């Protein structure tokens, strides 16, 4: 009996030791890399594109009416991560038929009260989106989620293409009556935007 308990204890320790404190999700072409980590009980993420840092360590999480998901978190396992095709229509933009490959993944978190929050990641070659799924507490109360505070953020590095883009408008005064001068700015700005991933979008919603 003691031998069985010892074996069970060893297996439990091994499982805890194998629990990752970070996960990496890459875009279909491998250039856009999102790393999600949980250190000191706080969840965060970073973003690199083609080897260049786009977002430094940025916070993840929120504070709801029934639990705090901004600290004392334990990260679970990553699910998904496979490349799959996505197609949808947007009638109010130039390119209404959207077809692209995406990688969808989920990572679960538990707070100190063992309430759960799931992070959904959506990564394609040029954009990132994420959202939180809140699971209803075991006692089935409260019936709805009220978000008191969201700590999620975008921590841009000191130098990045977006800073360069905005610096052209902040450092120079353009006379908008001078069309020649104005149109010199637009191609340069478009070029910067083309070579960087879009900033992550975030959303919160109530789980079923």
């Amino acid at each position: 009996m003691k031998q069985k308990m010892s074996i069970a204890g060893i297996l439990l320790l091994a499982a805890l030791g194998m629990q990752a404190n970070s996960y990496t999700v890459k875009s279909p072409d491998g250039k856009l890399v999102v790393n999600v980590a949980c250190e000191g009980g706080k969840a965060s993420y970073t973003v690199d594109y083609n080897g260049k840092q786009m977002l430094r360590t940025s916070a993840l999480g929120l504070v709801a009416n029934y639990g705090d998901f901004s600290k004392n978190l334990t990260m679970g396992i990553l699910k998904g991560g496979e490349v799959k095709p996505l197609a949808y229509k947007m009638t109010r933009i130039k390119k209404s038929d959207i077809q692209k490959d995406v990688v969808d993944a989920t990572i679960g978190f538990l707070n100190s009260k063992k309430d759960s929050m799931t992070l959904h990641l959506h990564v394609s070659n040029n954009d990132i989106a994420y959202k939180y799924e809140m699971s209803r507490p075991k006692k089935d109360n409260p019936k709805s989620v009220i978000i008191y505070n969201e700590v999620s953020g975008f921590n841009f590095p000191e130098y990045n293409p977006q800073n360069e883009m905005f610096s052209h408008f902040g450092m120079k005064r353009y006379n908008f009556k001078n069309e020649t001068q104005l149109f010199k700015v637009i191609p340069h700005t478009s070029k910067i935007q083309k070579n960087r991933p879009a900033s992550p979008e975030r959303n919160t919603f109530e789980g079923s």
Side-chain angles (χ1 to χ4, degrees):
M1 183 68 178
K2 289 183 179 180
Q3 186 178 4
K4 290 182 179 180
M5 290 179 65
S6 297
I7 294 173
I10 292 171
L11 291 174
L12 178 60
L13 288 174
L16 291 173
M18 291 173 62
Q19 186 178 16
N21 64 350
S22 67
Y23 293 108
T24 298
V25 179
K26 296 183 179 182
S27 60
D29 64 4
K31 293 182 179 180
L32 188 54
V33 180
V34 182
N35 187 71
V36 178
C38 187
E39 297 181 354
K42 295 183 177 181
S44 63
Y45 72 107
T46 60
V47 178
D48 293 331
Y49 182 75
N50 205 20
K52 295 182 179 180
Q53 188 179 56
M54 292 290 139
L55 284 179
R56 295 186 295 184
T57 301
S58 304
L60 290 169
L62 51 83
V63 180
N65 55 331
Y66 69 94
D68 190 341
F69 298 90
S70 66
K71 59 185 179 181
N72 299 320
L73 297 176
T74 302
M75 186 163 63
I77 62 173
L78 180 143
K79 295 182 180 179
E82 299 85 12
V83 178
K84 64 179 183 181
L86 176 67
Y88 59 93
K89 291 182 178 293
M90 295 187 70
T91 59
R92 300 186 184 278
I93 62 174
K94 282 186 176 181
K95 187 177 179 181
S96 59
D97 293 319
I98 310 298
Q99 294 185 0
K100 60 181 180 179
D101 290 335
V102 300
V103 174
D104 286 326
T106 61
I107 303 173
F109 293 89
L110 290 178
N111 66 4
S112 57
K113 295 167 58 179
K114 304 303 180 185
D115 293 321
S116 65
M117 174 185 76
T118 302
L119 174 70
H120 290 254
L121 283 170
H122 176 98
V123 183
S124 65
N125 291 340
N126 293 294
D127 51 60
I128 307 163
Y130 66 85
K131 64 184 179 183
Y132 302 111
E133 178 183 354
M134 314 305 294
S135 299
R136 194 183 298 277
K138 294 180 180 179
K139 295 181 180 180
D140 200 28
N141 188 42
K143 301 294 184 182
S144 61
V145 177
I146 300 174
I147 306 302
Y148 291 149
N149 182 37
E150 187 175 356
V151 302
S152 310
F154 311 133
N155 186 16
F156 293 102
E158 293 182 3
Y159 175 81
N160 65 67
Q162 294 192 79
N163 287 347
E164 182 182 343
M165 177 180 68
F166 292 124
S167 70
H168 282 278
F169 291 96
M171 294 175 64
K172 298 180 181 179
R173 296 182 180 179
Y174 290 98
N175 181 2
F176 288 94
K177 293 181 180 179
N178 186 337
E179 295 182 2
T180 304
Q181 193 176 25
L182 173 62
F183 280 99
K184 284 182 181 178
V185 182
I186 295 174
H188 182 63
T189 304
S190 301
K191 182 178 179 182
I192 294 173
Q193 290 178 326
K194 183 178 180 181
N195 292 316
R196 68 172 177 83
S199 300
E201 298 175 0
R202 62 177 185 261
N203 185 31
T204 57
F205 64 95
E206 179 187 351
S208 56

